[in-house]
Amino acid sequence: MHVFIGGTASGKRQRVAERYPEARWRDADEMMRRVPGAGAGPAIDDGDTLVISGWLAWLEAELENELENQRENESASADDDRLGRRWREAFTGWASSPGRRVLVLDEVGRGIVPVDPAQRRLRDLMGWLSQDAVRLASQVHYVRHGLTMRLDGKEATAAGRAD
């Protein structure tokens, strides 16, 4: 699995398209529906190179669904754990698949911390999702201002999950 991470309009998509011109692009929502136990959609060719983007939008939609279907007696942390298990299961499967999986992730941890608790939670979840993806990735590239920097996997995973 290969991860490209950077802020909005940083040049991630362009760098991925240059590196993987043969890739088919898929939305995170579509791919997460294909994870076993999630009402999996049609199978995909495991030999394909798939670029999976739209992770922030997927998280926003999941949180919106959670609000609409609020579970009594369950905390946000229980829901966060449930979401985390879902993406970790997907990442683990993709990291070991014969096809190439490229994740395009939005870095949202810089800048002003939102006052709204829901927005802070979204940022936290995106950060945890990114950390889990990086831990399983064989390569990680950070993109900023169109410049790409490879991050060494040993350094990227040695720090562990900082909460």
Side-chain angles (χ1 to χ4, degrees):
M1 192 164 70
H2 190 166
V3 171
F4 282 81
I5 188 167
T8 301
S10 63
K12 300 178 301 282
R13 289 176 168 273
Q14 181 179 351
R15 294 293 166 250
V16 170
E18 289 168 357
R19 185 166 185 138
Y20 299 107
E22 78 287 359
R24 292 186 299 147
W25 289 69
R26 295 290 184 257
D27 187 68
D29 182 61
E30 172 193 354
M31 292 302 291
M32 290 304 289
R33 282 186 270 129
R34 295 173 187 250
V35 174
I44 54 176
D45 181 357
D46 274 340
D48 288 347
T49 298
L50 295 179
V51 176
I52 308 164
S53 63
W55 290 99
L56 190 60
W58 174 73
L59 280 174
E60 286 175 319
E62 289 296 315
L63 294 178
E64 185 65 33
N65 288 339
E66 173 191 300
L67 285 175
E68 290 175 7
N69 305 317
Q70 274 193 314
R71 296 171 182 90
E72 289 187 26
N73 303 320
E74 281 201 30
S75 66
S77 112
D79 288 326
D80 293 353
D81 290 343
R82 186 179 305 109
L83 273 173
R85 282 191 305 274
R86 284 180 62 200
W87 74 59
R88 283 189 294 276
E89 181 180 344
F91 295 168
T92 300
W94 296 337
S96 63
S97 82
R100 186 174 289 130
R101 303 298 180 256
V102 182
L103 275 56
V104 179
L105 303 176
D106 292 305
E107 199 290 309
V108 295
R110 296 179 179 257
I112 298 170
V113 176
V115 174
D116 179 40
Q119 286 298 309
R120 286 195 309 271
R121 181 175 172 215
L122 176 63
R123 288 166 64 105
D124 287 346
L125 286 167
M126 190 66 210
W128 294 325
L129 181 148
S130 297
Q131 289 178 52
D132 288 340
V134 165
R135 247 185 238 106
L136 291 169
S138 59
Q139 292 184 63
V140 178
H141 282 86
Y142 184 76
V143 184
R144 186 169 181 181
H145 304 300
L147 301 172
T148 305
M149 176 175 53
R150 180 165 180 174
L151 303 178
D152 183 278
K154 292 177 185 169
E155 288 180 18
T157 59
R161 184 174 180 163
D163 292 38

